[in-house]
Amino acid sequence: EARGGAVVLELDGRPLGVNESLVSGVEIELPADAPISAQHFRRDSTRDPFYEITDPALLALPLPPPPVHGVVEARVLGERVAVREPLRLTLRDVEHGTRRPALAIVPPISVGFPVAHGVLPIGSDAYAVPVHLRSSVKGEATGTLGLDLPEGWRARPRNVDFAFTREGEEAEFQFVLAPPGGVVEGEAVIGAVAAHAGKEWTLGFETITARDLDVARLFKPARHTVHAVDVRVEPDVRVAYVMGSGDDIPRALGFLGITPELLDADALASGDLSRFDTILIGVRAYAVRDDLIVHNARLLDFVERGGALIVQYQTPEFDRNFGPYPYEMTRRAEEVSEEDARVTILEPEHPVFTSPNLITDADFDDWIEQRGSKFWKSWDDRYTPLLQCHDTGQEPQRGGMLIATYGRGVYVYSAFSWYRQLPHGVPGAFRIFANMVSLGARR
C-alpha cells in the first residue's frame, strides 16, 4: 500500500503446516510524483521561536509515517487475520549487526551546502562556496548544478555538469561568487539547484540514527546565507588550533583568510610552537584531550615567550589551574543563557575592543542561543575581566572573558559561545573574535 493505490499479490492459497514458511515477493514501482519523505515541521532560522507544522494531520507524530506498507491477509482456524507492516530495508552493519529501517523516498539527487552561513568581509571581491551532491539513483545519473543568486551577484563557473555511476556516490563542487560593487553590511541568500532527468532538485537531507532507534532523515532546502561584515584581522597572523570535542571555528576562520593548523598529540609534545602568533583551544578540549593536559606547560611557555593563547569554553575538567595564575570554576559554574542579555564592556580601551575592529555595544546584537557557559567563579588579581553580563535575576557575571599578561604574551579564557555564533555568521561575534586572534600578531 502506498499513496495512490495498492499492489495485490495472489499466493497459491494452499494451507501451511506447522513451522512451514512461505517466501514470495513482488516488484513495486513507485509513481514518479511520489512525495519525498520529508518531516512535517520546519524552522527556517534559529531565530524563529517556533517550528511551523506543514501537515497538521501529522501533528501528534514525531516523524511522518513510512510511505509504503505491506499487508498480508490469511485465515487461521477460519478467522481472517490481516497484518500491516511498513516496507523495510535490510542493512548490514559490521559493528551492530543487521538493521531494518523503514523505506523512505528521497530525491534522486540531493543537494546542499556543507555550511549554512558564511562571512564576506566588506571590501572583498570574491567569495568561495562549496556545494555538495549525492546520488540516490540506482545506476548512472547525470545533470547540471547551478546557483540561484541574488540580483547583481555572479558565479564562476555559472554551472557545472555532474555524472554519477552508482547509488550513494557523492561529489563536491566549488563556486566563486562575485558580489555586486559597493557591497554593504547585510545578508544575501544563495540557493543551489540540481537538474536531472528533466526535473530540478533543491533539497538535501541529514540522516539521524542511533543504535537502538530507527533511521530518520531531516530534509532542508539548499540555501546558504552570506553575511557581509565590516571585519578585519591582522594580516599574515599565524594561527594554530587544538581541536576539542568538535566545533566549526577553524572552518569559520577561513572566511577571514585564516587557515589554522590543527595541532595533534605529536605537535603538542614536541612541535615548534614558536611558528605561531596565536594558538586557540577548542571547546571542551581539556575534557577529551589527555595530551593537552600532559603538555599544558608547553602552551604556557609559548605565552611567556610572546604568544597569545585563547582558551574557549571548557567543562569542569578544566578546573585544575591550567592557566598561568590561579582561578576557580567550580562544579556549579555560571552561565548566561539569555542570548540578548545586555553585555557591558569593562575595559573599552583594551586592544581586544579597539583593534583591528572597534567594538561597540552593537556587536552583541543578534546573538543566538546564549551568551556563554562555564564562567569562572573567582580568579587571581592578575587576570582582568573584560565583559560583564547576566540573566534576568542573576548576579552580574564577570567570569566569562578574562585576560592576563604572562611574560611577553597574553592568556585569554573566553567562555562566550563563539562556537555557536561564528558558524551562524553573527557579525559582531566575528569582529570580536578577529580581534582576539590578532592579539598574537600585534605583540
Side-chain angles (χ1 to χ4, degrees):
E1 290 182 348
R3 294 185 184 182
V7 175
V8 178
L9 174 64
E10 292 287 350
L11 303 181
D12 58 11
R14 64 182 177 84
L16 295 178
V18 177
N19 291 329
E20 185 179 357
S21 62
L22 175 64
V23 178
S24 186
V26 61
E27 184 173 314
I28 301 174
E29 182 175 344
L30 295 177
D33 60 351
I36 302 300
S37 301
Q39 68 273 15
H40 53 287
F41 50 87
R42 58 182 289 181
R43 188 169 71 136
D44 293 333
S45 168
T46 54
R47 295 187 176 95
D48 292 343
F50 303 104
Y51 283 89
E52 175 189 353
I53 303 299
T54 56
D55 188 347
L58 304 180
L59 178 61
L61 299 179
L63 292 168
V68 184
H69 288 77
V71 180
V72 175
E73 293 185 0
R75 287 190 175 276
V76 180
L77 301 177
E79 295 293 331
R80 176 183 172 275
V81 177
V83 178
R84 186 174 185 267
E85 283 289 323
L87 266 60
R88 296 184 176 275
L89 306 174
T90 300
L91 304 179
R92 309 297 183 188
D93 189 314
V94 295
E95 182 177 1
H96 302 304
T98 301
R99 304 180 62 217
R100 302 191 67 239
L103 179 73
I105 301 174
V106 302
I109 303 296
S110 301
V111 55
F113 292 91
V115 292
H117 298 266
V119 163
L120 173 66
I122 297 295
S124 301
D125 57 3
Y127 181 86
V129 61
V131 181
H132 185 267
L133 294 184
R134 183 183 190 277
S135 174
S136 296
V137 178
K138 296 185 181 299
E140 296 182 353
T142 60
T144 303
L145 172 65
L147 298 181
D148 182 11
L149 299 174
E151 184 176 356
W153 288 68
R154 302 186 309 278
R156 188 178 70 250
R158 294 190 61 178
N159 50 62
V160 294
D161 295 332
F162 62 84
F164 296 111
T165 59
R166 59 180 60 87
E167 180 184 10
E169 281 191 332
E170 302 180 9
E172 193 166 281
F173 300 90
Q174 297 286 335
F175 292 86
V176 177
L177 308 183
V183 63
V184 296
E185 290 183 87
E187 299 179 357
V189 179
I190 296 165
V193 182
H196 163 71
K199 291 188 177 182
E200 292 185 341
W201 303 96
T202 60
L203 279 180
F205 66 90
E206 179 182 4
T207 300
I208 309 295
T209 187
R211 178 176 178 178
D212 298 323
L213 300 177
D214 207 341
V215 175
R217 294 168 181 83
L218 299 182
F219 291 81
K220 62 181 180 180
R223 288 201 297 260
H224 178 86
T225 302
V226 182
H227 302 262
V229 179
D230 184 13
V231 58
R232 290 170 293 279
V233 68
E234 284 291 329
D236 303 320
V237 60
R238 301 167 300 172
V239 179
Y241 203 90
V242 179
M243 185 62 73
S245 60
D247 59 65
D248 287 329
I249 295 292
R251 188 199 295 264
L253 290 175
F255 295 114
L256 300 176
I258 298 173
T259 303
E261 181 175 326
L262 300 183
L263 300 182
D264 59 14
D266 290 339
L268 283 178
S270 58
D272 180 12
L273 302 182
S274 67
R275 298 184 293 116
F276 307 108
D277 301 310
T278 301
I279 297 178
L280 292 155
I281 308 298
V283 301
R284 306 186 187 95
Y286 283 87
V288 299
R289 293 280 298 263
D290 291 339
D291 58 317
L292 175 59
I293 294 174
V294 170
H295 301 297
N296 185 75
R298 294 196 73 229
L299 293 173
L300 295 182
D301 289 342
F302 164 78
V303 177
E304 190 174 26
R305 294 169 183 169
L309 181 65
I310 300 169
V311 181
Q312 297 180 77
Y313 143 75
Q314 302 295 318
T315 44
E317 291 84 0
F318 181 64
D319 200 13
R320 293 164 53 189
N321 283 319
F322 288 111
Y325 312 115
Y327 62 85
E328 188 177 26
M329 177 186 291
T330 80
R331 288 284 172 181
R332 296 175 60 84
E334 294 283 1
E335 66 177 45
V336 177
S337 301
E338 297 171 7
E339 67 271 20
D340 57 352
R342 187 177 185 279
V343 179
T344 301
I345 300 174
L346 300 175
E347 301 286 337
E349 302 304 317
H350 195 283
V352 170
F353 304 119
T354 61
S355 179
N357 305 287
L358 180 61
I359 303 304
T360 69
D361 291 346
D363 288 300
F364 295 96
D365 292 343
D366 298 322
W367 282 42
I368 63 166
E369 296 194 43
Q370 64 174 180
R371 288 300 190 191
S373 180
K374 303 300 183 288
F375 289 12
W376 286 357
K377 280 289 193 72
S378 61
W379 50 88
D380 188 279
D381 288 342
R382 285 167 286 189
Y383 291 105
T384 299
L386 298 175
L387 298 173
Q388 175 181 290
C389 61
H390 62 89
D391 285 330
T392 303
Q394 183 186 33
E395 291 294 320
Q397 300 298 315
R398 294 190 171 199
M401 186 169 172
L402 305 100
I403 191 168
T405 299
Y406 182 63
R408 294 185 290 114
V410 291
Y411 182 97
V412 179
Y413 177 71
S414 186
F416 279 72
S417 58
W418 313 109
Y419 72 103
R420 297 188 190 276
Q421 312 309 318
L422 268 60
H424 281 83
V426 175
F430 257 94
R431 288 164 45 81
I432 301 169
F433 206 84
N435 285 7
M436 289 166 49
V437 170
S438 297
L439 283 172
R442 286 200 300 271
R443 299 183 71 84

